[in-house]
């Protein structure tokens, strides 16, 4: 009988905790989950593993006067008591606010943190900093910033498109053809921000294929591919999808197979785009032959694909990775244009799909679950950066950046506060980030584990993990809310983010109420239990129309979960628009799908014309740099963990090769370099180097190497700090914006070479904790 065991929720699934002698023995997947993720078990063994932080820590050099900030990352730490650490953090916050204003505090704190609506680290941080007078914030995501910025100009906000997404069922019903740019990585559907009740996408995709749907996968790698789809794999040269999309459009238009009536009634700007597409503008038709020389896909296969797309219901699907490369905005835009030319936008089982299985919710039938979140208040500081411009900001105070039609000025950041993310995982060109990080006077971090970010901090507050907290869990894109329970005691002296901020709030004043602290306004006098009840009651109120009979809070805590009915067909912005574009215009400037955008053209940026176009990326295999670094590095999401979370677990480590991150390389590329399967290799370019374990595979395109993100950054301080000993590929990636439209992360624009690692190979020290001393 497992149905009364307490719930534990994570981004990768929901589990019940099986207890023995007051300790968690195992996590059992939620009984209604047909395809649970194995990542969950790692949460048990990491509860009290050596990487946990048990006490507040202050960096030795920081205590000694902070003269050399380049010591961050390799310095020792001094274990202090809570009062000492809190006093120090409060002193630094007050100093920076007094001497430099709130704008000098960077609280962007990007990251996935953990599931749970109350104990959500970023929300707690924002609530605290807003009461403190505000902070420089960050916009958009690392996931798909390019799409977040371009989509509202040309189709609809990403949020709407992701909430009102088409489903696998509709694809099955229509026996659609999915043209999948970047493929469909079912492994990524293990997770969903905020939690997952049921993993259904693997079965749903299989059922759609059984029903007669088909998937053409466009990807430099076939590693994510189901065997049945192998002969439908188009192996593409990385960063060239734009050329392929243009050629598909060109073929449709040249043969008059596009839906001119839909273009006339629902789109704007085709006439301004057409001369570029057909070559009247620059003498170069964007034909299959042209694209073939760029993508290295045979022209005949491009034409053949276009003809298939014209013949049957087609979904143009882009994986979110399409956004994380130079010109990512226009690639996404071109996916919309291609779908518009096919005329299927707004029809079930057709149109454009925004990342089927990129996370669990996309493609599954879901409504919007109006689960309440911790109110964060408003930020009195309006200064912000596009999230991936963090190193630019730190290196260039007063400098400027163009973003979505605005000129932004970088603030002069003195203090960085991070809770629930890991920039030494997620940012590109980590050697550059390290230099930028040295400009900051004070770094305050909350972390449960000795992650690279914790090691690069000055003041580290040990945070609890979700299994140590009661919470209310449920993602707005999911079907269930859960009452989750603290099934373990907080590790040593660790405390939850809310309590840490409450204690800080008791030590600082607000910007106006100089006589009293901000404690009362931060906690509103509520305990954890009272907050949870409040969030639950809010959720009940939000659901009152659809679910008038929600259980009372005390009943909910006993039952443990409530599921909301999903609408048969969620009301669709795009369906209504299709039915009547005058009555139901899109929220774009013209109310139509914008193939040409006056807004984007009006930004007046070099090379940005106002419609999608092919531009050579700085780094791709067609660049002259490819003579020096001939391999294109593709960094993708890891199968065995979420980003860098739980990398210390045995499940994640079982996927490593010789203890390092795997680097998948084509056997031909390996042979010419004398590399054998299992060898330790060094992957390098002018930005940095990392050690990795070679995995030879015919499933990755010749000239391409693949590395998952998330190996804990492990600088080789002894032999050259530009090298990571463990295999974090972000020492190699370029810190380049997607473009001046969105300034998103261009992580996938990256050339490298590989050699067998020679000589003494240093051991991996990523999971060793720093030297810790007691106060002197
Ligand atoms: N090269 C390359 N880089 C990439 C990508 C890529 O494709 N290629 N992908 C990018 C993408 S899409 C993303 S979203 C980012 C992800 O980047 P992040 O979201 O920053 O990565 P995580 O490893 O999930 O970091 C979450 C951190 O929060 C901590 N944490 C968890 N729970 C709590 C808590 O309750 N309290 C506190 N205080 N801390 C907690 C964890 O220990 C962990 O260190 O990476 C980006 N980086
Ligand atoms: N297990 C697990 N699941 C996750 C995550 C995780 O960390 N672990 N992270 C989650 C997050 S935050 C996000 S944003 C999503 C991301 O979801 P995505 O961005 O869709 O996922 P990725 O795995 O980064 O990349 C998908 C595919 O893009 C291909 N690709 C790379 N470059 C190119 C190219 O130039 N052209 C083409 N055609 N294909 C290319 C890669 O080979 C890879 O197979 O995943 C989510 N799901
Ligand atoms: Mo992401």
């Amino acid at each position: 009988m497992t149905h009364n065991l307490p719930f534990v929720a994570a981004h990768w699934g929901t589990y019940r905790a099986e207890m023995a002698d007051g300790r968690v023995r195992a996590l059992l997947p939620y009984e209604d989950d047909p395809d649970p993720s194995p990542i969950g078990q790692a949460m048990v063994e990491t509860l009290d593993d050596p990487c946990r932080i048990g006490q507040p820590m202050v960096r030795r050099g920081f205590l000694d006067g902070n003269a050399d900030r380049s010591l961050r990352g390799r310095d020792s730490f001094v274990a202090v008591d809570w009062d000492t650490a809190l006093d120090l953090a409060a002193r630094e916050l007050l100093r920076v606010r007094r001497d430099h204003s709130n704008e000098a505090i960077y609280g962007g704190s990007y990251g996935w943190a953990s599931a749970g609506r109350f104990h959500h680290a970023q929300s707690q941080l924002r609530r605290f900093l807003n009461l403190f007078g505000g902070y420089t914030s960050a916009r958009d995501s690392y996931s798909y910033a390019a799409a977040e910025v371009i989509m509202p100009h040309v189709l609809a906000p990403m949020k709407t498109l992701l909430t009102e997404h088409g489903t696998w069922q509709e694809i099955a019903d229509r026996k659609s053809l999915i043209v999948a740019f970047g493929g469909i990585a079912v492994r990524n559907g293990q997770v969903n921000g905020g939690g997952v009740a049921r993993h259904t996408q693997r079965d749903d995709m299989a059922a759609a294929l059984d029903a007669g749907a088909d998937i053409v996968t466009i990807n430099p790698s076939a590693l994510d591919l189901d065997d049945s789809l192998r002969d439908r794999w188009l192996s593409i040269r990385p960063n060239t999808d734009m050329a392929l999309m243009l050629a598909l459009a060109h073929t449709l238009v040249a043969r008059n197979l596009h839906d001119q009536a839909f273009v006339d009634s629902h789109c704007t700007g085709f006439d301004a785009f057409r001369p570029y597409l057909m070559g009247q503008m620059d003498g170069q038709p964007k034909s299959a032959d042209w694209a073939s020389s760029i993508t290295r896909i045979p022209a005949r296969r491009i034409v053949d694909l276009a003809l298939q797309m014209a013949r049957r219901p087609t979904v143009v699907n882009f994986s979110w990775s399409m956004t994380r490369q130079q010109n990512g905005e226009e690639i996404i835009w071109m996916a919309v244009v291609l779908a518009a030319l096919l005329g299927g936008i707004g029809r079930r089982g057709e149109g454009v799909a925004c990342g089927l299985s990129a996370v669990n919710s996309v493609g599954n039938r879901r409504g919007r679950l109006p689960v309440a979140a911790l109110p964060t208040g408003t930020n009195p500081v309006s200064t912000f950066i596009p999230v991936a411009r963090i190193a630019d900001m730190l290196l260039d105070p007063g400098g400027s950046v163009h973003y979505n039609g605005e000129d932004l000025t970088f603030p002069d950041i003195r203090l960085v506060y991070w809770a629930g993310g890991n920039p030494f995982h997620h940012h590109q060109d980590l050697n550059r980030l390290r230099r930028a990080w040295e400009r900051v006077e004070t770094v305050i971090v909350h972390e449960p584990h000795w992650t690279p970010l914790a090691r690069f901090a000055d003041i580290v507050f040990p945070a609890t993990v979700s299994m140590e907290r009661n919470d209310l869990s449920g993602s707005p894109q999911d079907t269930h809310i859960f009452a989750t329970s603290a099934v373990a005691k907080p590790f040593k002296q660790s405390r939850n983010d809310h309590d840490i901020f409450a204690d800080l709030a008791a030590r600082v004043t607000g910007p106006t109420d100089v006589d009293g602290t901000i404690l009362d306004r931060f906690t509103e006098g509520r305990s954890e239990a009272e907050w949870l009840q409040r969030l639950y009651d809010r959720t009940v109120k939000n659901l009152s129309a659809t679910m008038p009979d929600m259980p009372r809070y005390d009943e909910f805590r006993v039952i443990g979960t409530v599921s909301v009915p999903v609408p048969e067909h969620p009301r669709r912005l795009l369906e209504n628009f299709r039915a009547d574009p005058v009555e139901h215009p899109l929220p774009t400037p013209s109310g139509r799908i914008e193939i040409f955008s006056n807004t984007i053209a009006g930004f007046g940026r070099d090379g940005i014309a106002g419609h999608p176009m092919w531009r050579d990326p700085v780094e791709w295999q067609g660049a002259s740099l490819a003579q020096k670094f001939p391999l294109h590095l593709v960094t993708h999401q890891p199968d065995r963990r979420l980003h860098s979370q739980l990398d210390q677990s045995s499940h994640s480590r079982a996927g490593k090769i010789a203890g390092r991150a795997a680097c998948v390389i084509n056997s031909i590329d390996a042979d010419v370099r004398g590399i054998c399967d299992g060898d330790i290799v060094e992957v390098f370019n002018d930005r940095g180097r990392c050690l990795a374990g070679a995995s030879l595979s015919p499933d990755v395109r010749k000239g391409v190497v693949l590395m998952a993100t998330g190996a804990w950054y492990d600088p080789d301080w002894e032999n050259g700090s530009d090298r990571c000993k463990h295999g974090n590929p972000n020492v190699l990636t370029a810190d380049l914006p997607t473009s001046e439209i969105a300034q998103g992360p261009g992580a996938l624009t990256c050339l490298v070479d590989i050699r067998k690692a020679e000589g003494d190979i240093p051991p991996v020290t990523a999971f060793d904790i720093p030297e810790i001393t007691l106060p002197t």
Side-chain angles (χ1 to χ4, degrees):
M1 185 54 198
T2 60
H3 284 42
N4 52 4
L5 298 179
F7 277 119
V8 169
H11 299 303
W12 41 87
T14 309
Y15 305 84
R16 290 188 185 265
E18 191 180 48
M19 313 291 292
D21 304 327
R23 290 172 65 88
V24 182
R25 188 164 61 187
L27 291 182
L28 310 174
Y30 173 43
E31 52 280 3
D32 282 356
D33 187 347
D35 183 24
S37 162
I39 296 175
Q41 295 310 320
M43 294 164 76
V44 181
E45 66 172 85
T46 51
L47 266 178
D48 56 0
D49 73 2
C51 292
R52 276 305 290 270
I53 308 173
Q55 198 180 336
M57 300 281 170
V58 184
R59 192 171 63 77
R60 164 65 67 192
F62 184 77
L63 283 177
D64 290 348
N66 207 11
D68 181 4
R69 300 195 289 249
S70 75
L71 283 173
R72 286 198 190 114
R74 62 194 149 121
D75 211 347
S76 62
F77 281 83
V78 181
V80 298
D81 59 37
W82 273 99
D83 279 335
T84 306
L86 288 160
D87 288 346
L88 200 53
R91 186 196 78 190
E92 287 301 289
L93 283 161
L94 291 166
R95 174 185 69 80
V96 170
R97 185 176 70 183
R98 184 195 62 221
D99 295 350
H100 308 283
S101 90
N102 282 83
E103 191 193 56
I105 300 170
Y106 181 64
S109 188
Y110 182 82
W112 270 56
S114 47
R117 304 301 287 179
F118 177 61
H119 293 292
H120 179 245
Q122 278 88 10
S123 302
Q124 296 285 352
L125 171 62
R126 281 175 209 138
R127 183 177 170 87
F128 168 79
L129 287 179
N130 285 341
L131 291 170
F132 187 65
Y135 60 98
T136 292
S137 60
R139 280 239 182 119
D140 310 323
S141 65
Y142 277 75
S143 308
Y144 45 57
E148 278 170 289
V149 175
I150 196 71
M151 280 300 206
H153 293 298
V154 302
L155 183 65
M158 267 299 267
K159 220 177 179 167
T160 313
L161 295 171
L162 289 174
T163 309
E164 304 196 354
H165 207 275
T167 65
W168 285 110
Q169 186 60 54
E170 293 165 0
I171 287 166
D173 291 347
R174 298 290 310 283
K175 305 186 193 326
S176 310
L177 168 68
I178 306 172
V179 180
F181 291 92
I184 297 175
V186 173
R187 70 178 145 78
N188 286 347
Q190 286 179 91
V191 312
N192 206 54
V196 179
R198 306 180 70 240
H199 293 83
T200 50
Q201 80 284 0
R202 189 194 306 271
D203 290 346
D204 288 351
M205 178 167 137
L209 289 171
D210 279 350
D214 194 6
I215 304 176
V216 170
T217 300
I218 297 148
N219 200 320
S221 133
L223 285 169
D224 293 330
L225 216 58
D226 192 276
D227 276 345
S228 66
L229 298 171
R230 212 151 259 271
D231 57 346
R232 315 282 279 130
W233 172 34
L234 287 186
S235 165
I236 191 169
R237 196 142 78 148
N239 286 26
T240 65
D241 297 77
M242 172 64 97
L244 174 59
M245 291 178 183
L246 285 167
L248 292 168
H250 178 275
T251 308
L252 292 172
V253 174
R255 297 179 185 224
N256 212 13
L257 293 171
H258 67 294
D259 188 340
Q260 185 66 45
F262 182 80
V263 170
D264 289 342
S265 56
H266 288 77
C267 304
T268 168
F270 183 51
D271 291 345
F273 172 64
R274 193 181 174 126
Y276 168 75
L277 185 69
M278 305 317 284
Q280 287 106 341
M281 212 164 90
D282 55 3
Q284 176 59 68
K286 307 304 170 300
S287 63
D289 281 330
W290 166 79
S292 178
S293 67
I294 296 173
T295 60
R296 296 289 152 87
I297 297 173
R300 153 187 69 71
R301 293 198 69 182
I302 300 176
V303 171
D304 184 50
L305 177 58
L307 298 182
Q308 288 178 52
M309 292 166 79
R311 266 199 302 269
R312 64 189 280 194
T314 296
V315 175
V316 178
N317 180 66
F318 63 86
S319 91
W320 295 354
S321 63
M322 293 291 103
T323 68
R324 292 194 294 281
Q325 47 183 290
Q326 258 192 307
N327 208 16
E329 299 88 343
E330 290 184 22
I331 295 171
I332 300 313
W333 191 357
M334 189 56 213
V336 173
V337 171
L338 189 54
L341 291 175
L342 289 166
I345 292 182
R347 248 195 231 130
R348 288 177 195 160
E350 294 187 51
V352 63
C354 307
L356 285 165
S357 201
V359 289
N360 183 268
S361 55
V362 186
N364 295 335
R365 193 152 63 85
R366 302 270 186 269
R368 209 185 80 77
L369 180 62
V371 54
L374 179 75
T376 55
T378 43
N379 187 352
V381 174
S382 57
T383 312
F384 74 91
I385 55 162
V387 69
R389 300 280 55 84
I390 178 173
D392 291 359
M393 167 183 74
L394 297 178
L395 287 167
D396 188 21
S400 70
V401 66
H402 191 88
Y403 163 81
N404 200 16
E406 283 179 70
D407 284 311
L408 307 176
T409 304
F410 289 133
D412 186 358
I413 298 298
R414 305 298 173 122
L415 184 149
V416 167
Y417 206 132
W418 221 292
N422 181 357
F424 287 91
H425 155 70
H426 65 231
H427 196 59
Q428 283 60 65
D429 197 350
L430 290 179
N431 289 311
R432 181 169 190 258
L433 179 66
R434 247 177 47 210
R435 290 192 295 278
W437 205 249
E438 285 176 26
R439 314 272 306 226
V440 180
E441 290 163 7
T442 309
V443 180
I444 308 176
V445 162
H446 298 191
E447 255 295 341
H449 310 280
W450 276 115
T451 61
L453 174 66
R455 302 177 78 130
F456 275 87
D458 299 321
I459 303 172
V460 183
F461 290 116
T464 52
V465 295
S466 52
M467 282 172 74
E468 297 162 342
R469 311 184 288 235
N470 296 308
D471 215 326
L472 171 76
S473 166
S475 155
Q477 300 101 32
D478 209 47
T479 48
H480 290 54
I481 50 173
F482 292 96
T484 57
S485 300
V487 293
K489 288 203 179 64
F491 180 73
K492 296 191 177 167
Q493 294 183 30
S494 64
R495 307 184 63 202
N496 65 54
D497 295 290
H498 178 78
D499 291 347
I500 300 169
F501 285 122
D503 275 0
L504 268 182
R507 285 169 164 78
V508 297
T509 55
T512 47
D513 51 352
V514 282
D515 295 334
T517 74
I518 59 175
L519 174 65
D520 289 348
R521 284 192 292 148
F522 181 74
T523 64
E524 295 180 23
R526 289 193 187 87
S527 65
E528 178 193 72
E530 287 163 338
W531 271 111
L532 295 183
Q533 167 135 24
R534 182 180 160 83
L535 294 187
Y536 179 79
D537 290 346
R538 283 268 165 105
T539 307
V540 169
K541 203 166 155 222
N542 296 344
L543 280 164
S544 58
T546 41
M547 296 194 63
D549 297 324
M550 285 280 283
R552 288 199 323 267
Y553 180 65
D554 52 336
E555 294 166 345
F556 168 66
R557 290 280 338 161
V558 175
I559 317 164
T561 182
V562 175
S563 67
V564 295
V566 285
E568 193 52 42
H569 288 293
R571 219 178 80 83
R572 295 268 180 75
L573 177 85
L574 296 180
E575 282 187 16
N576 293 341
F577 164 68
R578 180 179 187 95
D580 188 341
V582 177
E583 192 64 23
H584 302 288
L586 293 177
T588 59
S590 62
R592 291 173 168 221
I593 300 166
E594 303 218 349
I595 296 175
F596 183 94
S597 161
N598 286 319
T599 311
I600 303 291
F603 292 169
R605 309 316 293 177
D606 259 4
I608 297 180
H611 60 72
M613 58 191 289
W614 165 258
R615 286 194 295 280
D616 281 4
V618 172
E619 292 191 21
W620 69 301
Q621 287 174 318
S624 54
L625 190 68
Q627 321 229 307
K628 190 172 173 197
F629 300 114
L631 302 176
H632 195 117
L633 171 69
V634 167
T635 53
H636 59 91
Q637 311 300 309
D639 182 19
R640 290 172 169 271
R641 56 183 178 262
L642 172 69
H643 315 132
S644 67
Q645 297 195 44
L646 303 175
D647 189 35
Q648 75 275 36
S649 71
S650 50
H651 183 61
S652 177
R653 290 201 209 191
K656 305 211 184 240
I657 295 174
R660 331 262 159 169
C663 172
V664 188
I665 178 168
N666 185 287
S667 319
I668 302 168
D669 294 320
D671 270 1
V672 296
R673 291 168 176 79
I675 293 168
C676 300
D677 203 46
D679 278 352
I680 296 180
V681 292
E682 188 175 76
V683 192
F684 62 97
N685 61 21
D686 284 336
R687 287 179 289 269
R689 300 174 287 154
C690 70
L691 296 177
S695 168
L696 272 52
S697 168
D699 286 340
V700 56
R701 186 187 164 79
K702 187 173 159 322
V704 173
V705 290
L706 292 187
M707 290 181 76
T709 59
W712 284 15
Y713 177 47
D714 192 12
D716 190 353
W717 301 110
E718 287 79 28
N719 306 301
S721 66
D722 67 323
R723 178 164 83 168
C724 170
K725 296 183 279 187
H726 188 201
N728 184 320
N730 273 329
V731 294
L732 301 159
T733 52
D735 189 1
L736 279 173
T738 49
S739 84
E740 290 187 287
I741 300 175
Q743 297 284 350
L748 291 167
T749 308
C750 178
L751 293 174
V752 299
D753 203 353
I754 299 194
R755 57 190 163 223
K756 201 169 157 163
E758 305 285 356
D760 283 345
I761 297 172
V764 173
T765 52
F767 306 119
D768 297 350
I769 65 169
E771 187 194 334
I772 292 168
T773 55
L774 293 173
T776 44

